[in-house]
Amino acid sequence: MTRYKLPGLLLLPILCLPMQLFASNDDAPSLYKQHCAACHLENRLGAQGPALLPQNLKRLKKKQAFQVISQGRPATQMQGFGDKLSPAQIQLLVDYIYTPLEHMPVWNMDAIRASQVIHHPDGSLPDKPKFQADLDNLFVVVELGDHHFTLLDGDSFEPIGRFPTRFAVHGGPKWAKGGRYVYFLSRDGWVSKFDVYNLTWVAEIRAGINARNLAVSHDGKVVMVANYLPHTLVALDAKDLTPLKILPAVAADGTSSRVSAVYTADPRHSFIATLKDAPELWEINYDETPPAGFGQWVHDYRPDSGELEPAKRFPVQRITLERILDDFFLTQDYEKVIGSSRAGGTDVYDLDLKRKIAAIDLPGMPHLSSAISWQRGNTRVLATPNIRKPEITVVDMKTWKVIKRIPTQGPGFFLRSHEKTPYAWTDVFFGPNRDLMHVIDKQSLEIVKTLKPAPGKTSAHVEFTRDGKYALVSILDMDGALVIYDATTLKEIKRIPMKKPSGKYNVHNKLGRSEGTSH
């Protein structure tokens, strides 16, 4: 396996503080300005180092941040300052970077453009891969432990290469262009484009300050980024990540909102997004020439009516919701959205009718972005894990009635399957039994086996090879691993050591819109 260095400092996923002797100043803002601002900016929005805001540091606990400042971060420019700062001074800095900003920061088109980095211009690299493998069975494996990702051969289960990423990659990398490129997003808004054929980063841009996730259009031309901070969606040209448009996330009533998430609805040539702070769902057309009248009130659609005005790029069709949707699932035909609210309630919305058509009895907090669907007998069913309840809930997608609640040994986060396997796999992510993985028969809706891949360590997130023959399970630990199982016999066949591996993303399953995974 080959290890690669980043092409420039801008890709370093670090908390980096300059080497300076510290004054005996116990005022947190002064300490920060003197010792941290050079890499993270005085406004804490990040530059060479990541943004130091509570929204961006959710994956780093305060005790861990204390340790990073004191001892540094291995293999980065972040050095330890425990010999220069007192524990009280370090704690002041920790408390300061976890304090919210008083005012909403500005990250406009000028700031986005200024952040763009082109490592290799579009079309400048060879069009043949540097390695031998089935290009339709590759995996991207995100390793959160030391901010890297591994490109894995899905036939031999041998790593092709391991590459550094920005700090706290979030929201799931997205494959595009038949597997030639992968787009990554960090929590502090950096979008990074990776050329799989040439095993190198080709472009980067910072689309926001605190980002939620990204989506790529089915034609591979547009990347759309959903932000928490500022309240925007940002459209990028997928070639080199040049910004195309900023869509302020403002509801019809004027409410400025964070964006919960954005996903691609391939057959509709659109992105689907929901607002976090207002009850609205947006459908955003991404065609270069949008359909006339998209997102507008039109009484007469006849071309000679005079009512059809040419739509500007990325028009928005708003659907008013009965409640804010914090999480949602798109059906395989991309005609319906099933969404849930943290305040309670799960609803079904028809994207064509633009209205609610059903409610589902799903108490707790169903994790619908990890839900899947499959054919069971004469009906299609939806199954979802639940963050607050120890069950997998199965719903008839004709009647929208719950047909089974499968008890589990704790609340779960991920549920995955494949159209060529009889089983669905779910973790027990929360609670004392987090080291378990349940395997469920998709027809009987019974747990047929409970695996314990690594006793005492969290088992999470299953992904399958393109043919569904093998299931890959993450051991979410610094001394973790990727555990490969035969998806039929449920026997372990290989274990690959990794640093806190989280999501795994198979190019065929993602681009082919497999029913057993998220898209």
Side-chain angles (χ1 to χ4, degrees):
M1 179 180 72
T2 306
R3 295 181 184 271
Y4 294 81
K5 293 182 178 180
L6 291 166
L9 289 177
L10 284 171
L11 276 171
L12 287 169
I14 55 174
L15 289 167
C16 71
L17 299 172
M19 286 187 66
Q20 297 177 13
L21 292 178
F22 285 73
S24 58
N25 191 336
D26 285 345
D27 175 71
S30 298
L31 278 173
Y32 179 89
K33 182 177 180 179
Q34 182 180 357
H35 307 299
C36 310
C39 289
H40 303 278
L41 296 186
E42 189 171 343
N43 58 14
R44 293 160 50 201
L45 300 186
Q48 186 175 328
L52 298 181
L53 303 173
Q55 303 97 317
N56 298 56
L57 298 172
K58 285 184 177 180
R59 288 185 176 175
L60 190 72
K61 296 179 180 179
K62 283 190 175 183
K63 288 184 179 179
Q64 294 172 312
F66 187 101
Q67 185 177 17
V68 169
I69 296 172
S70 178
Q71 301 179 18
R73 189 182 291 276
T76 75
Q77 288 184 342
M78 177 59 195
Q79 302 182 48
F81 291 88
D83 58 343
K84 302 177 181 69
L85 284 171
S86 70
Q89 288 175 314
I90 294 175
Q91 190 60 52
L92 279 173
L93 283 173
V94 170
D95 292 341
Y96 184 66
I97 64 177
Y98 281 86
T99 301
L101 297 178
E102 292 184 5
H103 304 287
M104 174 77 74
V106 174
W107 196 254
N108 56 22
M109 185 63 84
D110 289 341
I112 295 173
R113 287 190 179 119
S115 71
Q116 187 178 22
V117 182
I118 304 296
H119 300 295
H120 300 279
D122 184 61
S124 65
L125 295 175
D127 291 328
K128 292 184 178 180
K130 289 184 173 182
F131 55 90
Q132 296 292 323
D134 180 356
L135 299 178
D136 208 25
N137 198 26
L138 299 177
F139 287 85
V140 162
V141 185
V142 175
E143 296 184 63
L144 295 177
D146 59 354
H147 310 289
H148 282 68
F149 86 89
T150 292
L151 186 66
L152 185 71
D153 185 326
D155 292 326
S156 66
F157 300 117
E158 291 293 331
I160 295 168
R162 191 170 187 265
F163 310 87
T165 67
R166 283 194 173 269
F167 178 80
V169 166
H170 181 69
K174 297 297 188 292
W175 289 92
K177 283 286 186 181
R180 168 73 185 265
Y181 301 110
V182 187
Y183 296 86
F184 292 77
L185 179 70
S186 72
R187 188 174 284 278
D188 53 359
W190 280 98
V191 180
S192 304
K193 180 180 180 180
F194 186 83
D195 185 331
V196 173
Y197 286 11
N198 294 282
L199 303 176
T200 188
W201 301 100
V202 293
E204 286 194 295
I205 200 165
R206 192 175 187 184
I209 297 167
N210 180 244
R212 185 61 179 165
N213 77 326
L214 64 76
V216 182
S217 61
H218 81 288
D219 56 10
K221 293 182 178 181
V222 179
V223 177
M224 185 67 79
V225 180
N227 286 320
Y228 267 15
L229 190 67
H231 296 169
T232 58
L233 286 145
V234 179
L236 307 171
D237 187 325
K239 284 184 178 180
D240 59 5
L241 304 182
T242 294
L244 299 173
K245 188 173 183 177
I246 296 176
L247 288 76
V250 179
D253 65 0
T255 300
S256 180
S257 175
R258 296 167 292 173
V259 183
S260 292
V262 62
Y263 297 102
T264 308
D266 291 1
R268 306 178 70 87
H269 291 214
S270 64
F271 297 111
I272 307 296
T274 56
L275 303 188
K276 183 79 171 174
D277 306 302
E280 281 191 8
L281 180 149
W282 289 10
E283 181 170 9
I284 307 161
N285 181 273
Y286 55 66
D287 287 333
E288 292 185 30
T289 303
F294 189 94
Q296 304 171 14
W297 286 104
V298 179
H299 178 263
D300 190 341
Y301 278 87
R302 292 178 301 175
D304 59 353
S305 69
E307 290 193 38
L308 290 177
E309 297 181 5
K312 295 181 180 179
R313 189 113 192 248
F314 305 113
V316 176
Q317 174 69 60
R318 301 169 186 261
I319 298 178
T320 301
L321 309 172
E322 291 187 5
R323 69 188 98 227
I324 291 171
L325 299 184
D326 294 287
D327 193 18
F328 66 94
F329 170 85
L330 283 160
T331 57
Q332 282 292 111
D333 57 11
Y334 294 90
E335 292 180 359
K336 297 175 183 65
V337 168
I338 298 94
S340 61
S341 169
R342 287 188 179 274
T346 301
D347 300 320
V348 183
Y349 284 85
D350 189 298
L351 291 174
D352 294 323
L353 297 177
K354 302 177 180 58
R355 63 176 175 84
K356 175 180 169 179
I357 60 170
I360 307 177
D361 180 20
L362 291 178
M365 184 61 202
H367 192 214
L368 288 166
S369 57
S370 286
I372 59 174
S373 65
W374 66 83
Q375 194 70 24
R376 180 175 181 261
N378 296 323
T379 189
R380 192 160 192 85
V381 298
L382 165 75
T384 179
N386 199 302
I387 294 172
R388 295 177 182 167
K389 290 178 66 65
E391 70 176 38
I392 297 295
T393 314
V394 185
V395 177
D396 185 318
M397 296 179 74
K398 289 182 179 178
T399 64
W400 302 112
K401 301 296 184 183
V402 174
I403 59 176
K404 180 121 185 211
R405 301 184 191 275
I406 305 171
T408 61
Q409 294 193 41
F413 202 75
F414 295 105
L415 177 66
R416 290 290 183 262
S417 187
H418 189 281
E419 45 268 30
K420 293 185 179 179
T421 177
Y423 303 124
W425 298 52
T426 186
D427 55 44
V428 186
F429 198 85
F430 304 98
N433 298 315
R434 65 187 186 281
D435 55 358
L436 300 182
M437 181 71 63
H438 293 309
V439 182
I440 301 168
D441 186 292
K442 293 193 292 188
Q443 299 305 311
S444 70
L445 304 182
E446 299 289 340
I447 295 175
V448 295
K449 191 163 187 175
T450 297
L451 304 169
K452 187 180 284 190
K457 296 182 178 181
T458 301
S459 300
H461 194 279
V462 176
E463 177 68 296
F464 291 80
T465 52
R466 60 170 295 187
D467 55 12
K469 289 184 178 180
Y470 300 98
L472 286 66
V473 176
S474 290
I475 305 303
L476 203 62
D477 190 88
M478 279 300 293
D479 294 318
L482 207 61
V483 184
I484 295 110
Y485 288 91
D486 184 303
T488 302
T489 66
L490 309 181
K491 300 293 185 182
E492 179 181 333
I493 64 166
K494 189 170 185 177
R495 187 171 292 234
I496 307 170
M498 289 190 179
K499 297 288 187 183
K500 203 173 184 179
S502 57
K504 302 158 294 299
Y505 307 89
N506 179 274
V507 58
H508 174 84
N509 294 342
K510 295 300 182 182
L511 294 181
R513 307 205 309 267
S514 168
E515 68 179 20
T517 189
S518 60
H519 306 143

